[in-house]
Amino acid sequence: ALIAAGAGKTETRRFILADESRARLHYYDTSDPTRCFSIPAVKPVWDLKPVGGKRYRTVGGGGFQIFDLEQRKVVDTFKHPLLNGISAMCDLPDGGFVASVNHGRYPGNCADFVRFNAKREHVATYHTDKVFNVRTVNWDRDGKTLLVSWNRGLARMRLNDQNKTLDLVADYRLTKGMNAFDYLPARDGKNYICSCGFHGDVLRITPEGKELWRAAMPQNDSKRKERFYAQAQEMPDGSLYVAHWTGHGSKDSYTGWQVIQLAPDGGLRWGLYDPQRLGSCSGVIVLDAPELNAKPSAD
């Protein structure tokens, strides 16, 4: 079932969805349910990223998995003892990658960023006590700075090869809630979008951390007072699709939407609700939507 904010919303939307609670990668087509399919994944099914062609990657189980949509199966799996507790990873220009690894559960106070080369050999470990409970790691526009979402906020950090640590470039603390999930460059070329985990806020902030826009997510029921807002993707018109994580259990998906779309002014534009097929989603990639053909927003 689809819940749309307004009548007549029948446009086609296609997604890749990372489903933590049911451990699946979903291909979802709103126009034709017979085209939808799912591929089993290893929990927690975090950090959904495209890796070229029709292949996508998630992390979990002490490593990562790569899914091929055409073959509808996992085509590559990598595990390593140093990746136990992996939460996210970024590809490096040399063909290798760096992954965030959390140590302990809250109130744990440290994380490692583990670097591997193109042959998947361990190169270095960068230890930091500046952030903990890291959720996602994305590249900033310069290709040198890591955008790190963590338990209490958002940090910009750089790998320091000399002393094998991460240099903290900037740190923006959340004013409420915890477990910030996503932190990515906005399409305007200067600001940033971040989803704030619990308490259901999505922010647009300046590089200095000044809030330009805050949207508190709408709810479609009153059973749960808190929501967890995970991976986000901004559209050319300024609207946002946000993955909606509602709990670890397979039945938790019945308590809220799996994907929410916010209009540029922060209001609800559209929501996906299909709890029989979908669980609690941590990641969303928009393959097709009406907004992809829209003109860029003025700001």
Side-chain angles (χ1 to χ4, degrees):
L2 299 177
I3 298 176
K9 294 287 185 179
T10 59
E11 303 98 334
T12 296
R13 290 171 170 86
R14 294 186 300 117
F15 305 106
I16 303 297
L17 299 171
D19 183 339
E20 179 185 346
S21 64
R22 298 183 187 179
R24 296 286 188 273
L25 185 85
H26 301 289
Y27 171 84
Y28 198 97
D29 188 331
T30 64
S31 66
D32 186 353
T34 66
R35 296 179 181 176
C36 300
F37 63 87
S38 303
I39 305 171
V42 176
K43 285 190 175 185
V45 203
W46 286 350
D47 194 40
L48 175 63
K49 283 188 172 82
V51 292
K54 295 184 178 181
R55 293 187 172 188
Y56 298 84
R57 183 180 66 210
T58 64
V59 305
F64 63 81
Q65 292 183 294
I66 295 177
F67 305 80
D68 188 297
L69 292 191
E70 290 188 341
Q71 299 183 52
R72 299 191 180 187
K73 67 178 183 179
V74 174
V75 294
D76 190 5
T77 299
F78 178 71
K79 295 184 178 182
H80 194 281
L82 291 174
L83 296 178
N84 288 330
I86 185 173
S87 58
M89 57 185 289
C90 272
D91 295 310
L92 296 170
D94 64 3
F97 66 89
V98 61
S100 57
V101 177
N102 294 324
H103 296 294
R105 302 182 65 182
Y106 180 78
N109 60 358
C110 65
D112 283 342
F113 285 71
V114 187
R115 184 172 180 169
F116 287 78
N117 62 22
K119 296 180 180 180
R120 298 183 180 176
E121 300 167 332
H122 176 240
V123 174
T125 296
Y126 308 79
H127 181 76
T128 177
D129 58 4
K130 303 296 184 183
V131 301
F132 59 93
N133 283 14
V134 173
R135 288 291 186 174
T136 56
V137 183
N138 297 308
W139 285 115
D140 204 345
R141 298 178 182 90
D142 61 7
K144 300 178 181 179
T145 308
L146 296 171
L147 302 176
V148 180
S149 63
W150 63 288
N151 187 275
R152 293 298 183 191
L154 308 156
R156 298 206 298 276
M157 312 185 81
R158 288 187 181 177
L159 303 175
N160 188 323
D161 288 324
Q162 290 186 331
N163 58 14
K164 299 298 185 290
T165 61
L166 280 176
D167 292 337
L168 184 64
V169 179
D171 187 15
Y172 169 74
R173 299 299 177 95
L174 299 181
T175 56
K176 66 175 183 177
M178 66 178 191
N179 280 335
F181 196 96
D182 210 6
Y183 184 20
L184 64 156
R187 296 179 68 106
D188 61 14
K190 56 183 178 180
N191 296 308
Y192 296 88
I193 299 293
C194 42
S195 52
C196 296
F198 290 115
H199 291 274
D201 287 340
V202 177
L203 307 179
R204 184 186 295 269
I205 63 173
T206 67
E208 297 75 30
K210 178 183 177 181
E211 290 186 20
L212 300 173
W213 179 87
R214 176 186 288 265
M217 291 291 201
Q219 310 300 332
N220 67 340
D221 67 79
S222 58
K223 297 178 182 178
R224 293 168 61 97
K225 294 182 179 179
E226 291 187 326
R227 291 292 192 275
F228 189 102
Y229 297 94
Q231 186 177 7
Q233 183 174 340
E234 187 183 14
M235 296 288 102
D237 69 344
S239 64
L240 292 168
Y241 284 90
V242 185
H244 185 196
W245 186 90
T246 49
H248 294 287
S250 61
K251 298 297 184 180
D252 286 330
S253 57
Y254 286 88
T255 66
W257 287 295
Q258 287 76 50
V259 179
I260 292 175
Q261 185 191 13
L262 293 175
D265 63 1
L268 175 65
R269 176 178 288 179
W270 183 88
L272 170 60
Y273 182 69
D274 189 352
Q276 292 185 331
R277 183 185 300 272
L278 305 174
S280 184
C281 293
S282 66
V284 57
I285 293 177
V286 182
L287 300 179
D288 189 16
E291 299 78 21
L292 285 176
N293 297 319
K295 294 181 180 180
S297 58
D299 59 352

